[in-house]
Amino acid sequence: GSAPMKTVLRKLRGVVGVGLTWGVVFGVLMFLLGTIIGIVDPDSIDPGEEPYRIGAIVGLLGFLSGIFFALLLALAERRKPIAKLSIGRAAIWGALGSAAFPLLAGMPSAPNILMFVCPLGAVLASTTVSLARRADRASADRLPSSPTDLLPR
């Protein structure tokens, strides 16, 4: 393929990689939370609210949140290397990325969902930038050149 196409595919892989990472983290956390609630207060788990089901649903939400975060970051901070982004700004983009789908989808339970996903998105985004900074210090030549190159090649 052509060089521009390879660049597009690499960036797409980065965005999807962030989505998958966020999806796994969201899903696993929700599964664990559901499992703990099931042990502590089994009567509060209704049919259809089994930890694996809730984990899968929230995992999908995490995947979409990660994709929105990566796209927001790529659009808003495209001239900056990830390692140069402030952790505070990254946290804001992470929270906004997490809020995007519940708000755009007009989910009736959006306020409750946002209380869970926005802080989680902020933490994941901050962690992403912290890791990029650490990688930057460890080896300047292997750092992603822009927020859209979030994954190693």
Side-chain angles (χ1 to χ4, degrees):
S2 62
M5 191 62 189
K6 279 189 176 136
T7 303
V8 167
L9 289 174
R10 191 181 74 242
K11 290 179 180 193
L12 187 62
R13 193 175 70 209
V15 168
V16 170
V18 171
L20 289 172
T21 303
W22 283 40
V24 168
V25 172
F26 275 53
V28 167
L29 285 176
M30 204 62 207
F31 174 80
L32 293 173
L33 189 64
T35 302
I36 292 166
I37 292 169
I39 292 167
V40 175
D41 185 12
D43 295 340
S44 70
I45 306 278
D46 295 327
E49 289 182 352
E50 294 84 5
Y52 72 92
R53 281 206 175 132
I54 298 293
I57 292 166
V58 174
L60 179 62
L61 178 61
F63 174 73
L64 295 170
S65 296
I67 286 181
F68 276 111
F69 161 69
L71 293 173
L72 269 173
L73 193 64
L75 291 170
E77 306 287 352
R78 63 178 163 266
R79 286 170 187 74
K80 250 188 203 161
I82 289 178
K84 300 281 182 274
L85 190 64
S86 82
I87 290 180
R89 273 177 83 111
I92 290 167
W93 291 127
L96 288 172
S98 297
F101 182 75
L103 292 176
L104 293 173
M107 298 171 109
S109 55
N112 297 337
I113 294 170
L114 296 181
M115 285 187 336
F116 173 74
V117 299
C118 288
L120 188 53
V123 168
L124 284 169
S126 304
T127 304
T128 301
V129 170
S130 301
L131 292 173
R133 284 183 173 181
R134 197 166 295 153
D136 189 24
R137 286 194 296 271
S139 65
D141 57 338
R142 287 200 317 242
L143 181 74
S145 57
S146 79
T148 48
D149 299 342
L150 289 168
L151 283 191
R153 290 179 186 92

